[in-house]
Amino acid sequence: MNTPGTAAAAAAAYFRSRRGFDRLLTLFIKKYQSLGRLAGRITLTKPSPEEVQALAAFFRLNCDNKSSITISFAQFAAALEQTRFAGADILDIFKYYSRAKLMTNQEMNAQAETARCHFIDTLRSQYINRHCHIWLNAVYHKTPGTRRAQAAYERGAPDNQNLFTITLQALSNLPESYERLPLFAGRIAGNPHALDTTAPAGRLFLEALKLLSQQSCRPETKQVSLPSPAEEEAELLYSFHLLRDDLLNFVTCSGLTAFKETAGNNRELPYWREAWHTGAILNVPLRELVTLSQLLPARLPPGRKNVYIVENSGVCSTIIDYFTGKSLPLPPLLCTHGNFKLASWAAIDRLIAGDCLLHYSGDFDPEGLLMADRLLSRHPRQVKLWRYSAADYANCLKNTGEITAISESRCKKLAAITSPVLADMVQVLRSTKQAGYQEALVTTLIQDMLL
């Protein structure tokens, strides 16, 4: 590089001392950085009087009354040769003018990528946990599903270091037994809200967990239609033994008994069986469900472990009313109260652990079929649809006074259903565009449970 006394330094000082050249030189430098060579042209829109005067004199152009002025590198080089700065290297002029090392965009990108890789390599050497390495390798290679991680790095130091540190500490210390998210965050970061979904570290942590779950092909996190982002996040956390809300998240259980593993043995919890004996139902929160190893029907006919699932609380109450009114033992019944929540999945998973066969009944509408599809996708071998045939749908409509139409926007949800056993009902609903609700079949459901 030339010293400050050279023609290039003098030319840079000249251009810098005259405001009329500011935009011209700045745009030329950006053009060089973009192309990586001295070529092309730049355009000054709405030139100021100072710019018109400076450019007209330097390039010997008539710039009066022009809304824009376009100058090429070739013009600039030719005009420069007609001045006392003839022979000066244009790149050196740009370097002196910008008072910084001049790099092309390609060079800057390469330098930035080298720094990014060094940042991740340093973290890989510090965090040897398998989960950390899987995630960091994905971030290193910019694997799809690491967008937040790339954005977090771009925040620069020290923010990026703090975000990655919290996330990696969390991945290194994922609990083996269920733990509430605020307590886990406090243990990891010293702040119970550090991993909230509204916090940058919380969002980055969720992205990392999602990538880990997809790469491990966990059945509980299979990509199926979910009712809301909040439910998706809650299920994702649950799959890694982290609980967001374990009291208000509950299911209603009837005719079931529960077991807890103690010292390698399954021990029956007496209050579940006592509830069945007294004809009582249990609203069981997630807090209790995660401590269980198995759920089973309280009454076990030989060779049968049938459990019935409904999503409608009114249907559930009607079934229970019938059995208590007839002084019959309560049937093995689970009510999810609408879409499957974490408590629903926790109970279902423990019924599956007990080798139960689940019979699911829901509404004949897109949302009901989506729930059935999720359940079938998660446990295809131990779930049977209960009164979900075209004939049952026809009977449902026959017993319904006022038919509810299904809008086109709701019908589009049917495209997300993948279970083959639901294919016929999907076509029927697309054709009729009429919803049927399980309340109209409650008498039939009761008769099935009596068999």
Side-chain angles (χ1 to χ4, degrees), residues 12-26 44 47-55 97:
Y14 171 83
F15 289 127
R16 205 163 39 241
S17 67
R18 289 160 176 78
R19 294 182 58 188
F21 289 106
D22 284 351
R23 273 208 296 168
L24 177 79
L25 270 291
T26 299
L44 278 72
S48 68
E50 286 178 312
E51 289 174 326
V52 169
Q53 183 179 359
L55 299 183
Y97 183 85

Side-chain angles (χ1 to χ4, degrees), residues 44-235:
L44 278 72
T45 58
K46 297 181 180 179
S48 68
E50 286 178 312
E51 289 174 326
V52 169
Q53 183 179 359
L55 299 183
F58 187 78
F59 293 102
R60 299 179 184 179
L61 295 173
N62 181 7
C63 301
D64 293 337
N65 302 319
K66 289 189 176 181
S67 60
S68 65
I69 302 172
T70 299
I71 306 291
S72 68
F73 261 117
Q75 285 177 283
F76 180 74
L80 191 66
E81 287 300 308
Q82 303 303 312
T83 68
R84 57 191 171 93
F85 310 119
D89 185 278
I90 292 179
L91 271 184
D92 284 344
I93 293 174
F94 289 169
K95 291 173 185 176
Y96 282 119
Y97 183 85
S98 61
R99 291 174 174 168
K101 184 179 179 181
L102 197 60
M103 299 175 67
T104 65
N105 288 352
Q106 186 176 6
E107 291 169 334
M108 287 188 286
N109 289 339
Q111 187 180 74
E113 181 63 11
T114 299
R116 188 188 74 88
C117 292
H118 175 72
F119 176 83
I120 297 171
D121 281 336
T122 301
L123 292 174
R124 282 197 287 201
S125 67
Q126 294 172 347
Y127 295 91
I128 60 174
N129 176 273
R130 184 177 64 88
H131 288 139
C132 295
H133 267 239
I134 292 173
W135 181 59
L136 286 173
N137 285 339
V139 175
Y140 185 94
H141 295 292
K142 297 184 178 180
T143 301
T146 61
R147 180 182 60 84
R148 287 194 187 280
Q150 309 304 333
Y153 171 76
E154 294 298 332
R155 291 171 70 125
D159 284 356
N160 56 9
Q161 185 70 51
N162 293 337
L163 290 174
F164 273 80
T165 296
I166 292 173
T167 301
L168 290 165
Q169 288 284 2
L171 294 179
S172 298
N173 294 278
L174 290 171
E176 294 185 7
S177 57
Y178 290 99
E179 185 174 356
R180 294 174 189 83
L181 184 63
L183 296 180
F184 175 71
R187 180 163 62 85
I188 294 300
N191 177 356
H193 300 292
L195 296 177
D196 287 357
T197 55
T198 55
R203 292 193 292 271
L204 185 59
F205 178 55
L206 279 173
E207 182 182 76
L209 292 183
K210 187 171 184 179
L211 183 134
L212 289 174
S213 72
Q214 290 171 348
Q215 294 209 357
S216 65
C217 299
R218 294 178 174 222
E220 63 267 33
T221 54
K222 182 181 175 183
Q223 291 297 100
V224 294
S225 178
L226 291 165
S228 71
E231 277 296 307
E232 180 180 8
E233 292 165 2
E235 285 191 33

